[in-house]
Amino acid sequence: PGAGPAAAAPPPQQRSKATQFVSVGSQFRASMGALVSTLSATNPHFIRCIKPNDARLPFTLHARTSLTQLRSCGVLEAVRVSQAGYPTRLPFIELLERYAILLPPTPSNHKARFMPQTLAHSQSGQAEVRHLAEVLLKSMQIAESQFMLGRTVAFLGTGVLARCEAARSAHITRAAT
């Protein structure tokens, strides 16, 4: 008596919470928490997946379908910019935050030199930030063939970022002495 499998399990009212059923929602929540913590600890690089054909057949590529997807994802434009020789992408705000001290000292540039992040909060501010990025690069005598300006990002040619850093270091050194 008492040696069978029924005697080994405690009565239902004595089970601990640890042995209770875990719901699918709880499993999902725990899984998402683990995923978010993993993503927070990494430097994301995005992979764009495309469907090679509408029928989902293996080893079959429909060029028109794939090309449409690549265009809509912006992949073709990114490749074009990269092939054009602009390996560095820098948002206008970051460009101005780092190099605004190199802007010519004019009254219109004063706000950008000391508070560039306050400019981009409106549509007109974004246009002004873009204009100031262009003024900055031209004032550093960087040829127009060495940079391109997008809607929010400056594409810099090979060596342009190094020239910006050298100019910034020289400016800071002159100011300190």
Side-chain angles (χ1 to χ4, degrees), residues 56-151:
R56 298 183 183 171
L57 298 172
F59 309 109
T60 305
L61 176 71
H62 292 143
R64 185 171 298 206
T65 302
S66 298
L67 189 60
T68 301
Q69 292 175 64
L70 291 171
R71 273 195 192 111
S72 66
C73 289
V75 172
L76 296 180
E77 185 65 18
V79 169
R80 186 187 69 77
V81 167
S82 181
Q83 285 178 341
Y86 303 101
T88 304
R89 299 174 184 192
L90 206 55
F92 297 143
I93 287 295
E94 289 181 27
L95 182 73
L96 289 173
E97 284 176 346
R98 181 105 179 129
Y99 305 108
I101 59 173
L102 301 174
L103 279 168
T106 63
S108 62
N109 295 344
H110 179 76
K111 191 173 185 180
R113 291 184 70 171
F114 299 104
M115 299 177 290
Q117 66 277 9
T118 61
L119 292 174
H121 294 297
S122 68
Q123 196 72 307
S124 62
Q126 290 176 355
E128 186 177 352
V129 168
R130 185 182 193 281
H131 172 72
L132 287 170
E134 183 175 15
V135 168
L136 171 68
L137 293 168
K138 286 181 178 178
S139 72
M140 294 175 59
Q141 298 174 348
I142 295 173
E144 287 191 39
S145 63
Q146 287 292 308
F147 68 90
M148 280 179 57
L149 300 177
R151 286 188 311 121

